[in-house]
């Protein structure tokens, strides 16, 4: 074993959103298994939610994971005190202040890392924190960008960015083929992440420009994906001269039930054992799990329509209604229509946070209605669960194309356009109950799709096991960091 002075000390800095914090925390566990010293840098509120996970990893596997905090300037940027996470913003317009607050962490983090007794060897940070490249440069160490999306979606973004779509495609609903893709991929302008305006108050063009400028200060990309799932897309980046290490799916580091239950750092809205007992009572591969991530709002009318579709499917289901979506209108409907009584015995409704990895990996779950966020998508792949895709915004329509068109393990629910992050109309319906019912029937009755999902699960497990492609890529990444420390 290396002496303390020779040991690599890796700094991990996640963007302040659960979709970044969760996979980077999993990655910290994987790195700590290689006898590395890991320090995660976050803010007080976010740190308090993950401290117990780090403590458990330290005790159960002797992981060397430290957690340090820097104050977040909530008041200075116009946010309520303690508002330090994208998922807790009361309005999408507040995203501007969150990004501004993150940028203000540059100097305090540089000062913090400069004072460490054990010198940092590298910074691995969310791609959404481009300024960390300047911090790494000031310290004379390499910075690696942690990508929370897959190579397929990154390549679409790259290639669409090189196409003059705003001039060549006239309407938002007009479809066009993305150039230079290994597979034929057709999208519309309305399915692209918005670059021509501010989304949730954030100037997307400015953020993308900052990320592009940060590339010259970035050694390479660390991606939560695995090569056997999207080999042509990994190769496409390598052919562009990009350094890339696919090290996922990182969620597979959580093998113990206790790790799966507490993943994400949030207390579940239902006791995990109650959820497991309910799942145990169902036949294998029969349960539909419906969950739509943690960001954005869904109109109340759409929530109600979704419930009616699940009921009409006549299949057992677990339905997550996020706390921000439990409006007075939704609660009144649930009560007046006695919905929970109508589906009693085959429908479990959870208001708030649920142990998603536990649910997806249970043998009774046979389908997942998902917003196509990458964490949720790859967790379903790890569990061998086919998906009903219901993308809403950001790169989620790209992820849908991977699931439905390339991997062929999903069925689209039929949504054609992005949902605005700011909720304008509580009575708006994007997907009818009949569309939900028909998608469930189509998904659950296709044996070939189910078989392909099971095969991908095996490939994901193989990739992360000792000697697999992702396991070896972590080794190669560590070797690259070691090489940089000797220069």
């Amino acid at each position: 074993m290396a002496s303390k002075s020779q040991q690599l000390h890796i700094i991990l800095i996640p963007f302040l959103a659960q979709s970044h914090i969760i996979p980077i925390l999993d990655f910290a566990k994987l790195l700590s298994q290689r006898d590395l010293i890991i320090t995660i840098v976050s803010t007080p509120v976010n740190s308090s939610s993950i401290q117990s996970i780090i403590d458990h990893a330290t005790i159960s596997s002797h992981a060397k994971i430290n957690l340090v905090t820097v104050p977040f300037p909530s008041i200075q940027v116009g946010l309520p005190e303690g508002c330090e996470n994208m998922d807790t913003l009361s309005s999408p317009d507040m995203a501007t202040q969150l990004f501004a607050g993150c940028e203000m962490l540059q100097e305090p983090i540089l000062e913090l890392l400069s004072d460490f007794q054990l010198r940092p060897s590298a910074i691995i940070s969310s791609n959404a924190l481009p300024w960390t490249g300047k911090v790494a440069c000031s310290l004379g160490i390499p910075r690696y960008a942690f990508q929370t999306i897959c190579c397929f979606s990154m390549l679409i973004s790259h290639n669409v960015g090189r196409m003059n779509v705003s001039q060549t495609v006239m309407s938002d609903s007009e479809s066009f083929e993305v150039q230079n893709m290994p597979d034929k991929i057709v999208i519309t302008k309305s399915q692209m992440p918005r670059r021509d305006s501010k989304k949730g108050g954030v100037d997307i063009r400015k953020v993308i420009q900052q990320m592009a400028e940060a590339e010259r200060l970035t050694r390479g990309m660390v991606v939560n994906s695995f090569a056997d799932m999207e080999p042509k897309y990994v190769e496409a980046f390598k052919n562009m001269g990009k350094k890339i290490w696919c090290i996922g799916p990182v969620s597979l580091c959580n093998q113990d039930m206790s790790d799966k239950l507490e993943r994400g750092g949030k207390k579940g809205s239902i006791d995990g054992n109650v959820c497991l007992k309910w799942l145990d009572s169902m036949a294998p591969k029969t349960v539909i799990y419906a969950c739509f991530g943690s960001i954005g709002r869904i109109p109340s009318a759409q929530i109600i329509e979704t419930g009616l579709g699940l009921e009409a499917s006549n299949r057992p289901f677990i339905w997550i209604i996020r706390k921000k979506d439990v409006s007075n209108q939704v609660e009144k409907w649930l009560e007046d229509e006695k919905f929970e009584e109508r589906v009693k015995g085959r429908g479990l409704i959870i208001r708030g946070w649920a142990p998603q990895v536990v649910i997806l990996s249970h043998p009774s779950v046979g389908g997942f209605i998902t917003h196509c966020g990458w964490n949720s998508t790859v967790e379903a792949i790890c569990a061998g669960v086919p998906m009903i895709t219901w993308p809403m915004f950001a790169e989620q329509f790209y992820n849908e194309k991977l699931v439905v068109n390339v991997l062929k393990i999903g069925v689209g629910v039929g949504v054609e356009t992005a949902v605005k992050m700011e909720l304008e109309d509580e009575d708006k319906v994007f997907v009818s109950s009949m569309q939900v019912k028909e998608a469930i029937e189509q998904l659950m009755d296709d044996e070939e799709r189910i078989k392909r999902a099971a095969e991908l699960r095996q490939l994901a497990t193989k990739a992360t096991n000792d000697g697999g492609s992702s396991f070896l890529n972590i080794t190669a990444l560590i070797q690259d960091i070691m090489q940089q420390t000797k220069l």
Side-chain angles (χ1 to χ4, degrees):
M1 189 173 75
S3 68
K4 188 171 183 179
S5 61
Q6 295 172 313
Q7 266 190 317
L8 293 181
H9 180 196
I10 311 300
I11 309 299
L12 300 179
I13 311 177
F15 178 64
L16 305 183
Q18 294 304 105
S19 59
H20 291 251
I21 293 170
I22 292 172
I24 283 185
L25 188 54
D26 285 340
F27 185 47
K29 295 179 184 179
L30 290 170
L31 288 176
S32 71
Q33 294 170 7
R34 305 299 186 96
D35 196 31
L36 307 181
I37 296 173
I38 311 300
T39 296
I40 299 174
V41 182
S42 194
T43 62
V45 171
N46 292 296
S47 294
S48 65
S49 71
I50 62 175
Q51 183 66 63
S52 63
I53 299 174
I54 294 172
D55 292 342
H56 178 73
T58 302
I59 294 168
S60 63
S61 59
H62 306 290
K64 298 173 184 174
I65 304 175
N66 307 303
L67 178 61
V68 298
T69 63
V70 289
F72 187 76
S74 302
I75 304 301
Q76 287 176 258
V77 296
L79 290 173
E81 189 170 355
C83 188
E84 302 175 9
N85 189 295
M86 183 72 80
D87 303 51
T88 62
L89 301 181
S90 59
S91 164
D93 291 334
M94 290 181 172
T96 288
Q97 289 99 304
L98 189 80
F99 271 87
C102 286
E103 283 198 60
M104 290 176 67
L105 297 178
Q106 180 175 333
E107 286 303 320
I109 286 180
L110 175 58
E111 186 177 338
L112 175 77
L113 300 184
S114 299
D115 290 341
F116 276 177
Q117 186 174 357
L118 182 61
R119 184 178 185 272
S121 307
I123 289 175
I124 303 176
S125 60
S126 294
N127 193 48
L129 300 175
W131 49 264
T132 53
K134 296 177 182 177
V135 175
C137 188
S138 298
L139 295 170
I141 59 176
R143 181 249 178 173
Y144 300 80
F146 189 95
Q147 297 283 359
T148 55
I149 62 175
C150 60
C151 295
F152 173 89
S153 295
M154 285 195 294
L155 189 62
I156 291 185
S157 294
H158 175 82
N159 289 345
V160 167
R162 295 168 65 111
M163 298 170 63
N164 194 13
V165 175
S166 61
Q167 299 298 320
T168 58
V169 181
M170 294 300 103
S171 73
D172 285 351
S173 59
E174 180 184 346
S175 60
F176 65 93
E177 183 176 349
V178 182
Q179 297 172 2
N180 301 317
M181 296 292 288
D183 297 288
K184 182 176 180 178
I185 303 298
V186 176
I187 62 172
T188 65
K189 282 171 69 174
S190 63
Q191 296 172 343
M192 293 167 50
R194 297 296 299 271
R195 296 187 181 203
D196 58 346
S197 64
K198 293 186 176 183
K199 182 182 74 174
V202 178
D203 189 336
I204 299 300
R205 289 173 299 181
K206 179 183 176 184
V207 173
I208 292 172
Q209 183 181 355
Q210 288 174 337
M211 290 179 184
E213 291 171 353
E215 276 200 27
R216 63 185 181 85
L217 299 175
T218 300
R219 176 74 181 159
M221 297 186 294
V222 180
V223 186
N224 183 21
S225 181
F226 58 107
D228 289 336
M229 181 183 69
E230 48 173 352
K232 293 180 287 188
Y233 297 92
V234 177
E235 197 61 31
F237 275 102
K238 290 181 178 178
N239 290 340
M240 284 189 273
K242 308 271 188 184
K243 286 189 174 292
I244 184 167
W245 295 270
C246 289
I247 47 77
V250 295
S251 61
L252 285 176
C253 74
N254 300 290
Q255 294 298 316
D256 295 340
M257 183 57 69
S258 59
D259 290 332
K260 292 178 182 179
L261 284 169
E262 71 173 2
R263 185 168 183 262
K266 288 189 178 182
K267 183 174 177 57
S269 302
I270 186 172
D271 183 276
N273 292 320
V274 171
C275 191
L276 283 170
K277 187 176 180 180
W278 188 91
L279 286 164
D280 288 341
S281 70
M282 299 297 166
K285 301 295 180 186
T286 59
V287 176
I288 296 293
Y289 171 57
C291 182
F292 301 101
S294 56
I295 295 179
R297 279 285 314 279
I298 300 173
S300 295
Q302 181 63 74
I303 296 290
I304 293 168
E305 199 74 12
T306 303
L308 292 172
L310 289 167
E311 181 184 24
S313 75
N314 287 320
R315 294 178 185 270
F317 62 87
I318 294 180
W319 181 23
I320 313 302
I321 307 179
R322 305 169 307 179
K323 285 185 178 178
K324 64 179 72 176
D325 293 327
V326 185
S327 65
N328 291 336
Q329 184 178 339
V330 169
E331 280 291 9
K332 186 175 187 303
W333 172 77
L334 289 169
E335 184 177 341
D336 290 352
E337 297 296 322
K338 296 182 170 46
F339 183 81
E340 289 177 273
E341 290 180 34
R342 292 197 328 232
V343 299
K344 189 175 182 180
R346 72 173 179 91
L348 179 63
I349 299 173
I350 301 174
R351 295 166 174 81
W353 186 265
Q356 181 159 292
V357 170
V358 171
I359 293 170
L360 283 172
S361 59
H362 195 279
S364 70
V365 175
F368 179 23
I369 304 179
T370 174
H371 67 304
C372 299
W374 183 241
N375 281 328
S376 292
T377 301
V378 79
E379 286 161 13
I381 288 168
C382 290
V385 176
M387 288 165 264
I388 292 171
T389 56
W390 190 331
M392 296 185 180
F393 50 81
E395 89 293 344
Q396 293 166 10
F397 282 93
Y398 297 171
N399 294 337
E400 178 186 46
K401 297 295 181 184
L402 174 70
V403 170
V404 175
N405 298 74
V406 178
L407 302 179
K408 301 184 189 308
I409 57 169
V411 172
V413 79
V415 65
E416 297 292 340
T417 186
V419 178
K420 290 185 178 181
M421 289 189 69
E422 60 278 6
L423 191 60
E424 295 178 345
D425 187 356
E426 284 283 3
D427 295 323
K428 190 159 188 177
V429 172
F430 296 88
V431 177
S432 71
S433 59
M434 186 56 64
Q435 284 176 287
V436 174
K437 176 180 179 288
E438 290 174 352
I440 290 172
E441 290 172 349
Q442 188 179 350
L443 185 84
M444 302 296 274
D445 294 336
D446 191 320
E447 291 297 328
E448 283 301 312
R449 193 177 286 113
I450 294 168
K451 181 182 175 183
R452 282 192 293 271
E455 290 170 351
L456 267 177
R457 176 186 184 179
Q458 293 177 346
L459 287 175
T461 302
K462 180 182 177 182
T464 53
N465 283 345
D466 194 344
S469 60
S470 293
F471 180 93
L472 295 175
N473 278 338
I474 292 178
T475 302
L477 173 65
I478 293 169
Q479 290 172 343
D480 192 80
I481 295 171
M482 290 179 68
Q483 181 185 18
Q484 293 303 300
T485 62
K486 293 175 182 176
L487 296 178

